[in-house]
Amino acid sequence: MRYRVFLLPLLPALFGASLLVGQTPPEKKTPKLAPYYPTPEVIVEKMLQLGAVKKGEKVFDLGSGDGRIVIIAAEKFGANAVGVEFDKDLYQQSSDRIRKLGLSDRARIIHGDLLEQDYTSADVITVYLLPVSNEKVRPLLERQLKKGARIVAHDFTVAGWTPEKEVSIDDDGEGRSHTLYLYRRP
């Protein structure tokens, strides 16, 4: 009896609350691969410098949030920059900002799942995702990226890959430290 009393509150967590009340489970929705946490602009520039972004190159930012990496890549580095953002509000906010800055000819945001995109044209990929998310995106990048494409990961490594270079930044101007990892597809 005492086991049943203990397990009863756990059933919704174990089996899903909708199954207990006779409802069908909700439609599967792709979970966010990282919380929105803006990268300080000084770190954005260091990421793009580490990736050796050149004018005209194609840069993708996976989980582009407010679009700051896409905007700086286009504005300061002359890249053709594309962000992929799942959150509708962040997508709209960053798209509006790109339009207001007059960067629509070389910067844009895709509203969608970053695991369902085509990155075959990428010269540089930037990511600020959680380790488990980096593991999910790794097979896609391994299949799609061309030889020599660079990947810059912020704070979290990509398991199974060896970074070509690792850069530590002790202070981002906001009192936080960061580590950047540069990978290159063989």
Side-chain angles (χ1 to χ4, degrees), residues 7-149:
L7 288 175
L8 197 55
L10 296 176
L11 288 176
L14 294 173
F15 299 105
S18 62
L19 297 177
L20 293 177
V21 293
Q23 298 174 352
T24 57
E27 187 177 313
K28 186 180 178 214
K29 185 177 176 184
T30 304
K32 289 180 99 169
L33 295 176
Y36 171 60
Y37 194 81
T39 303
E41 288 194 19
V42 66
I43 303 303
V44 170
E45 289 201 33
K46 290 189 183 299
M47 290 176 74
L48 296 169
Q49 289 167 354
L50 182 61
V53 174
K54 296 172 194 69
K55 185 177 182 173
E57 284 192 312
K58 186 75 163 249
V59 175
F60 282 89
D61 182 31
L62 310 189
S64 57
D66 66 4
R68 66 183 60 200
I69 291 177
V70 172
I71 289 167
I72 292 173
E75 200 171 45
K76 293 188 177 181
F77 290 78
N80 178 357
V82 179
V84 182
E85 179 53 53
F86 188 74
D87 182 277
K88 185 177 182 177
D89 292 334
L90 288 169
Y91 157 76
Q92 193 63 55
Q93 175 188 340
S94 54
S95 295
D96 290 347
R97 187 161 176 236
I98 287 168
R99 198 171 21 267
K100 285 177 186 170
L101 290 169
L103 295 171
S104 298
D105 61 329
R106 59 185 186 273
R108 69 184 178 99
I109 307 296
I110 296 169
H111 180 227
D113 184 341
L114 62 86
L115 294 173
E116 296 178 3
Q117 305 305 316
D118 179 359
Y119 304 111
T120 55
S121 64
D123 296 297
V124 178
I125 298 274
T126 60
V127 295
Y128 189 17
L129 300 173
L130 299 172
V132 67
S133 302
N134 284 344
E135 285 183 42
K136 288 180 181 180
V137 78
R138 186 187 82 195
L140 177 66
L141 297 179
E142 288 174 344
R143 279 192 312 274
Q144 291 189 7
L145 292 183
K146 60 188 170 188
K147 183 179 180 178

